[in-house]
Amino acid sequence: MLGGGCRSGPPAPHALTVCPAALPGGAEMQLEQIALLAAVTVLGVLEQAYFALQVIYARRQYKVSPPGTAGPPEFERVFRAQANCSEYFPIFVSVLWVAGLFFQQGVAAVCGLLYLYARYQYFQGYALSAQGRLGPMYFSAKILWILIGLSVAGLLVHFLSLSSLVWRMEMPSKLQLLFQW
């Protein structure tokens, strides 16, 4: 349930919350904590739609009817650019959200914007020539690896602090067993 119905007292007009019962462990999450990630995700979806429209326009321009994918090199480059960007989009969205939730939302969002810009440059460059895709492709790959690294770092910190907490909770009971004799 969204909104302030989870808390006692009136909710802040701009700060929607997710009820503790809606999240694992009963944690309450402010939607502000994920707003940047959501905005970058929507921009990414819009970018994917733009790429798909470019393929439609190229099909009309070069007279390549669906489901055909072969045509003049100009059409094939636009088609491949869109397909390549679509193939990497699920990976991008996954690591964007993991990095944003477990590392830091702002850093992940900036990386996400840089990635989307690089993919736009990749698409435009590939549409002009196969060589035009290389610089943006390498840059977007670096940004993707940074997001993967941030995700892993955030998850490591999360799990190490959880295991440390569990170990600290188990230790007194283990000591009691040891000294019971």
Side-chain angles (χ1 to χ4, degrees), residues 114-145:
L114 288 171
Y115 179 83
L116 293 177
Y117 177 73
R119 290 315 270 187
Y120 177 79
Q121 292 297 318
Y122 168 85
F123 186 90
Q124 296 300 322
Y126 203 171
L128 295 175
S129 75
Q131 283 298 113
R133 78 190 198 287
L134 295 178
M137 180 182 72
Y138 295 138
F139 182 70
S140 66
K142 287 177 187 174
I143 297 295
L144 203 55
W145 278 109

Short mmCIF file of all heavy atoms in Angstrom, two decimals, residues 114-145:
data_model
loop_
_atom_site.label_atom_id
_atom_site.label_comp_id
_atom_site.label_asym_id
_atom_site.label_seq_id
_atom_site.Cartn_x
_atom_site.Cartn_y
_atom_site.Cartn_z
N LEU A 114 24.82 8.56 -17.83
CA LEU A 114 25.99 8.46 -18.72
C LEU A 114 25.86 7.26 -19.66
O LEU A 114 26.19 7.35 -20.85
CB LEU A 114 27.27 8.34 -17.89
CG LEU A 114 27.73 9.60 -17.18
CD1 LEU A 114 28.89 9.29 -16.23
CD2 LEU A 114 28.14 10.67 -18.20
N TYR A 115 25.36 6.15 -19.13
CA TYR A 115 25.17 4.96 -19.96
C TYR A 115 24.15 5.23 -21.06
O TYR A 115 24.39 4.89 -22.23
CB TYR A 115 24.70 3.78 -19.09
CG TYR A 115 24.45 2.53 -19.90
CD1 TYR A 115 25.50 1.69 -20.25
CD2 TYR A 115 23.18 2.21 -20.33
CE1 TYR A 115 25.27 0.55 -21.01
CE2 TYR A 115 22.94 1.07 -21.08
CZ TYR A 115 23.99 0.25 -21.42
OH TYR A 115 23.76 -0.87 -22.18
N LEU A 116 23.02 5.85 -20.72
CA LEU A 116 21.99 6.13 -21.72
C LEU A 116 22.52 7.08 -22.80
O LEU A 116 22.24 6.91 -23.99
CB LEU A 116 20.74 6.71 -21.06
CG LEU A 116 19.97 5.76 -20.15
CD1 LEU A 116 18.79 6.48 -19.50
CD2 LEU A 116 19.51 4.53 -20.90
N TYR A 117 23.30 8.08 -22.38
CA TYR A 117 23.90 9.00 -23.35
C TYR A 117 24.86 8.24 -24.27
O TYR A 117 24.85 8.44 -25.49
CB TYR A 117 24.62 10.14 -22.64
CG TYR A 117 25.32 11.08 -23.59
CD1 TYR A 117 24.59 11.98 -24.37
CD2 TYR A 117 26.70 11.05 -23.73
CE1 TYR A 117 25.22 12.83 -25.26
CE2 TYR A 117 27.34 11.91 -24.63
CZ TYR A 117 26.60 12.78 -25.39
OH TYR A 117 27.24 13.62 -26.27
N ALA A 118 25.67 7.37 -23.69
CA ALA A 118 26.63 6.59 -24.49
C ALA A 118 25.90 5.68 -25.48
O ALA A 118 26.33 5.53 -26.63
CB ALA A 118 27.54 5.77 -23.59
N ARG A 119 24.78 5.08 -25.05
CA ARG A 119 24.03 4.22 -25.96
C ARG A 119 23.38 5.03 -27.08
O ARG A 119 23.27 4.57 -28.21
CB ARG A 119 22.98 3.41 -25.20
CG ARG A 119 23.56 2.34 -24.31
CD ARG A 119 24.66 1.54 -24.97
NE ARG A 119 24.17 0.37 -25.67
CZ ARG A 119 24.96 -0.57 -26.20
NH1 ARG A 119 26.26 -0.50 -26.10
NH2 ARG A 119 24.44 -1.59 -26.83
N TYR A 120 22.96 6.25 -26.78
CA TYR A 120 22.41 7.12 -27.82
C TYR A 120 23.51 7.43 -28.84
O TYR A 120 23.28 7.36 -30.06
CB TYR A 120 21.85 8.41 -27.21
CG TYR A 120 21.35 9.38 -28.24
CD1 TYR A 120 20.11 9.19 -28.84
CD2 TYR A 120 22.12 10.47 -28.64
CE1 TYR A 120 19.65 10.07 -29.81
CE2 TYR A 120 21.67 11.35 -29.60
CZ TYR A 120 20.44 11.14 -30.19
OH TYR A 120 19.99 12.01 -31.15
N GLN A 121 24.71 7.79 -28.34
CA GLN A 121 25.83 8.07 -29.23
C GLN A 121 26.21 6.83 -30.05
O GLN A 121 26.54 6.92 -31.23
CB GLN A 121 27.05 8.56 -28.42
CG GLN A 121 26.86 9.92 -27.79
CD GLN A 121 26.66 11.01 -28.83
OE1 GLN A 121 27.34 11.05 -29.85
NE2 GLN A 121 25.72 11.89 -28.58
N TYR A 122 26.15 5.67 -29.40
CA TYR A 122 26.42 4.40 -30.08
C TYR A 122 25.44 4.20 -31.23
O TYR A 122 25.83 3.88 -32.35
CB TYR A 122 26.29 3.25 -29.06
CG TYR A 122 26.27 1.87 -29.67
CD1 TYR A 122 27.45 1.20 -29.97
CD2 TYR A 122 25.06 1.24 -29.93
CE1 TYR A 122 27.42 -0.07 -30.53
CE2 TYR A 122 25.01 -0.03 -30.49
CZ TYR A 122 26.20 -0.68 -30.79
OH TYR A 122 26.16 -1.93 -31.34
N PHE A 123 24.15 4.40 -30.94
CA PHE A 123 23.12 4.21 -31.96
C PHE A 123 23.34 5.16 -33.14
O PHE A 123 23.31 4.74 -34.30
CB PHE A 123 21.72 4.43 -31.35
CG PHE A 123 20.61 4.11 -32.30
CD1 PHE A 123 20.09 2.83 -32.35
CD2 PHE A 123 20.10 5.07 -33.15
CE1 PHE A 123 19.07 2.52 -33.24
CE2 PHE A 123 19.08 4.78 -34.04
CZ PHE A 123 18.56 3.50 -34.09
N GLN A 124 23.57 6.43 -32.84
CA GLN A 124 23.78 7.42 -33.90
C GLN A 124 25.05 7.10 -34.70
O GLN A 124 25.04 7.19 -35.93
CB GLN A 124 23.88 8.83 -33.30
CG GLN A 124 22.61 9.31 -32.62
CD GLN A 124 21.41 9.35 -33.55
OE1 GLN A 124 21.52 9.71 -34.72
NE2 GLN A 124 20.26 8.97 -33.03
N GLY A 125 26.11 6.73 -34.00
CA GLY A 125 27.36 6.40 -34.68
C GLY A 125 27.24 5.17 -35.56
O GLY A 125 27.74 5.15 -36.70
N TYR A 126 26.57 4.14 -35.06
CA TYR A 126 26.40 2.90 -35.82
C TYR A 126 25.52 3.14 -37.04
O TYR A 126 25.74 2.56 -38.10
CB TYR A 126 25.80 1.83 -34.91
CG TYR A 126 26.04 0.40 -35.35
CD1 TYR A 126 25.70 -0.64 -34.50
CD2 TYR A 126 26.61 0.06 -36.57
CE1 TYR A 126 25.91 -1.97 -34.86
CE2 TYR A 126 26.82 -1.25 -36.94
CZ TYR A 126 26.47 -2.27 -36.08
OH TYR A 126 26.68 -3.57 -36.44
N ALA A 127 24.50 3.98 -36.91
CA ALA A 127 23.63 4.28 -38.04
C ALA A 127 24.42 4.91 -39.20
O ALA A 127 24.10 4.67 -40.37
CB ALA A 127 22.49 5.19 -37.61
N LEU A 128 25.47 5.66 -38.87
CA LEU A 128 26.28 6.30 -39.91
C LEU A 128 27.34 5.37 -40.48
O LEU A 128 27.58 5.34 -41.69
CB LEU A 128 26.94 7.56 -39.36
CG LEU A 128 25.99 8.69 -38.96
CD1 LEU A 128 26.76 9.83 -38.32
CD2 LEU A 128 25.21 9.16 -40.18
N SER A 129 28.02 4.62 -39.61
CA SER A 129 29.05 3.68 -40.06
C SER A 129 29.34 2.68 -38.94
O SER A 129 29.17 3.00 -37.76
CB SER A 129 30.34 4.41 -40.45
OG SER A 129 31.03 4.84 -39.29
N ALA A 130 29.80 1.51 -39.34
CA ALA A 130 30.12 0.48 -38.34
C ALA A 130 31.23 0.97 -37.41
O ALA A 130 31.22 0.66 -36.22
CB ALA A 130 30.51 -0.82 -39.02
N GLN A 131 32.16 1.72 -37.92
CA GLN A 131 33.26 2.25 -37.10
C GLN A 131 32.76 3.29 -36.09
O GLN A 131 33.34 3.44 -35.02
CB GLN A 131 34.33 2.89 -37.99
CG GLN A 131 35.25 1.91 -38.69
CD GLN A 131 36.04 1.07 -37.72
OE1 GLN A 131 35.84 -0.13 -37.64
NE2 GLN A 131 36.94 1.68 -36.98
N GLY A 132 31.68 3.99 -36.42
CA GLY A 132 31.15 5.04 -35.58
C GLY A 132 30.61 4.55 -34.25
O GLY A 132 30.38 5.34 -33.34
N ARG A 133 30.42 3.25 -34.15
CA ARG A 133 29.86 2.69 -32.91
C ARG A 133 30.93 2.41 -31.86
O ARG A 133 30.61 2.27 -30.68
CB ARG A 133 29.10 1.40 -33.21
CG ARG A 133 29.98 0.21 -33.43
CD ARG A 133 29.22 -0.99 -33.96
NE ARG A 133 29.92 -2.23 -33.80
CZ ARG A 133 30.98 -2.62 -34.50
NH1 ARG A 133 31.49 -1.82 -35.43
NH2 ARG A 133 31.56 -3.78 -34.28
N LEU A 134 32.18 2.32 -32.24
CA LEU A 134 33.22 1.78 -31.35
C LEU A 134 33.48 2.62 -30.11
O LEU A 134 33.48 2.09 -29.00
CB LEU A 134 34.51 1.55 -32.13
CG LEU A 134 34.42 0.47 -33.22
CD1 LEU A 134 35.74 0.35 -33.97
CD2 LEU A 134 34.01 -0.86 -32.62
N GLY A 135 33.72 3.91 -30.26
CA GLY A 135 33.99 4.76 -29.09
C GLY A 135 32.87 4.73 -28.07
O GLY A 135 33.09 4.42 -26.88
N PRO A 136 31.63 4.99 -28.49
CA PRO A 136 30.52 4.94 -27.54
C PRO A 136 30.29 3.53 -26.97
O PRO A 136 29.87 3.39 -25.82
CB PRO A 136 29.32 5.40 -28.37
CG PRO A 136 29.89 6.20 -29.47
CD PRO A 136 31.22 5.58 -29.78
N MET A 137 30.57 2.50 -27.77
CA MET A 137 30.40 1.13 -27.28
C MET A 137 31.36 0.86 -26.12
O MET A 137 30.96 0.31 -25.09
CB MET A 137 30.64 0.12 -28.41
CG MET A 137 30.48 -1.33 -27.97
SD MET A 137 30.83 -2.50 -29.30
CE MET A 137 32.61 -2.35 -29.43
N TYR A 138 32.61 1.25 -26.29
CA TYR A 138 33.60 1.04 -25.22
C TYR A 138 33.25 1.86 -23.98
O TYR A 138 33.39 1.38 -22.86
CB TYR A 138 35.01 1.39 -25.71
CG TYR A 138 35.52 0.48 -26.81
CD1 TYR A 138 36.20 0.99 -27.89
CD2 TYR A 138 35.31 -0.89 -26.75
CE1 TYR A 138 36.67 0.16 -28.91
CE2 TYR A 138 35.76 -1.72 -27.76
CZ TYR A 138 36.44 -1.19 -28.84
OH TYR A 138 36.89 -2.02 -29.83
N PHE A 139 32.79 3.09 -24.18
CA PHE A 139 32.43 3.94 -23.05
C PHE A 139 31.24 3.35 -22.29
O PHE A 139 31.25 3.27 -21.06
CB PHE A 139 32.13 5.37 -23.51
CG PHE A 139 31.81 6.29 -22.37
CD1 PHE A 139 32.78 6.68 -21.47
CD2 PHE A 139 30.51 6.77 -22.21
CE1 PHE A 139 32.48 7.53 -20.41
CE2 PHE A 139 30.20 7.62 -21.16
CZ PHE A 139 31.19 8.00 -20.26
N SER A 140 30.20 2.92 -23.03
CA SER A 140 29.03 2.35 -22.36
C SER A 140 29.39 1.05 -21.64
O SER A 140 28.85 0.77 -20.57
CB SER A 140 27.88 2.15 -23.34
OG SER A 140 28.18 1.16 -24.30
N ALA A 141 30.32 0.28 -22.20
CA ALA A 141 30.75 -0.95 -21.53
C ALA A 141 31.47 -0.62 -20.21
O ALA A 141 31.24 -1.29 -19.20
CB ALA A 141 31.67 -1.76 -22.44
N LYS A 142 32.28 0.43 -20.21
CA LYS A 142 32.95 0.84 -18.97
C LYS A 142 31.94 1.26 -17.91
O LYS A 142 32.07 0.90 -16.74
CB LYS A 142 33.93 1.99 -19.25
CG LYS A 142 35.18 1.56 -19.98
CD LYS A 142 36.06 2.75 -20.30
CE LYS A 142 37.21 2.33 -21.19
NZ LYS A 142 38.02 3.47 -21.62
N ILE A 143 30.94 2.02 -18.33
CA ILE A 143 29.91 2.46 -17.37
C ILE A 143 29.14 1.25 -16.83
O ILE A 143 28.85 1.18 -15.64
CB ILE A 143 28.93 3.47 -18.04
CG1 ILE A 143 29.66 4.74 -18.46
CG2 ILE A 143 27.77 3.79 -17.10
CD1 ILE A 143 30.22 5.55 -17.32
N LEU A 144 28.85 0.30 -17.70
CA LEU A 144 28.15 -0.91 -17.26
C LEU A 144 29.00 -1.67 -16.24
O LEU A 144 28.48 -2.14 -15.21
CB LEU A 144 27.83 -1.79 -18.46
CG LEU A 144 26.70 -2.78 -18.33
CD1 LEU A 144 25.41 -2.10 -17.92
CD2 LEU A 144 26.50 -3.51 -19.65
N TRP A 145 30.29 -1.76 -16.47
CA TRP A 145 31.18 -2.44 -15.51
C TRP A 145 31.26 -1.67 -14.19
O TRP A 145 31.35 -2.28 -13.12
CB TRP A 145 32.57 -2.66 -16.10
CG TRP A 145 32.61 -3.87 -16.98
CD1 TRP A 145 32.72 -3.90 -18.33
CD2 TRP A 145 32.51 -5.23 -16.54
NE1 TRP A 145 32.68 -5.19 -18.77
CE2 TRP A 145 32.57 -6.03 -17.71
CE3 TRP A 145 32.38 -5.84 -15.30
CZ2 TRP A 145 32.50 -7.42 -17.65
CZ3 TRP A 145 32.30 -7.24 -15.25
CH2 TRP A 145 32.37 -8.01 -16.41
#
